[in-house]
Amino acid sequence: MIEQGELFPDELPGPPGDDVGYRGPTACAAAGITYRQLDYWARTGLVVPSVRGATGSGSQRLYSFRDILVLRVVRKLLEAGVSLQNIRSAADHVRTRGVDDLAELTLISDGSTVYECTSDDQVIDLVRGGQGVFAIAVGRAVQDMRGQLASLPSERLGQPPAPHPGDELAGRRARRDSA
């Protein structure tokens, strides 16, 4: 009898460490936002890159896995019409949690207030009380992003950056510096 091998692994790779970052275009693709939004949110302090910030003209910000997760949560809250003040509060809270903690987190909002739920019972209690209008299953977003970011280019802090696909200017600089 021939046994067929596994097509897809049951386990996705874990999230990368805090010394691994993703450039702006990759962060935008993974979070589902525009580069203009990313730049504005970084300049206003809503979501700042934790691996490496901008240090002048031509420098590349690097966003961690958790930063990109926060970008995705911010986008979903904005789409739902939550106030910027409540979004800032929710983003700060999500940013302080460990990635493993986030896998159990569901954010529920009534359009103005954002509630954190870490169990099914808490979600049910909020919905029964008429407070929940929409929910963001942060754990599901963590799973989606693990798979999505595994195939996208990343950089490890302290190592020379590899050429980024689609970054024509970086490619020209690398060719000029090697000549």
Side-chain angles (χ1 to χ4, degrees):
M1 182 166 141
I2 299 174
E3 189 173 312
Q4 182 176 346
E6 228 180 330
L7 292 177
F8 301 102
D10 290 337
E11 289 287 321
L12 290 171
D18 289 337
D19 64 336
V20 174
Y22 301 89
R23 291 186 184 186
T26 302
C28 290
I33 61 173
T34 66
Y35 193 82
R36 181 175 280 188
Q37 287 173 306
L38 181 75
D39 184 54
Y40 179 74
W41 293 349
R43 286 186 289 111
T44 60
L46 180 60
V47 182
V48 295
S50 62
V51 178
R52 183 175 64 213
T55 56
S57 179
S59 66
Q60 293 285 326
R61 296 182 186 118
L62 288 181
Y63 290 84
S64 70
F65 180 87
R66 184 188 337 244
D67 296 335
I68 297 172
L69 184 62
V70 172
L71 289 168
R72 187 179 278 200
V73 167
V74 166
R75 182 199 67 172
K76 295 214 179 255
L77 292 172
L78 277 172
E79 289 172 352
V82 175
S83 73
L84 191 55
Q85 179 181 359
N86 286 331
I87 289 173
R88 279 190 187 279
S89 176
D92 289 342
H93 186 71
V94 170
R95 196 176 297 115
T96 62
R97 302 288 296 265
V99 174
D100 291 336
D101 293 339
L102 293 173
E104 303 300 320
L105 182 67
T106 300
L107 297 176
I108 294 187
S109 179
D110 56 8
S112 60
T113 305
V114 179
Y115 304 94
E116 171 191 326
C117 298
T118 54
S119 72
D120 293 342
D121 292 338
Q122 290 174 333
V123 172
I124 292 168
D125 288 346
L126 275 173
V127 172
R128 278 190 186 150
Q131 293 170 324
V133 172
F134 75 95
I136 300 172
V138 179
R140 180 68 185 156
V142 168
Q143 278 186 311
D144 290 347
M145 283 183 38
R146 279 182 181 166
Q148 187 177 14
L149 289 175
S151 64
L152 295 174
S154 64
E155 296 180 23
R156 189 168 299 277
L157 204 57
Q159 292 182 348
H164 190 276
D167 189 349
E168 183 181 337
L169 184 57
R172 287 182 185 180
R173 284 186 190 136
R175 286 190 296 276
R176 179 193 68 208
D177 293 344
S178 67

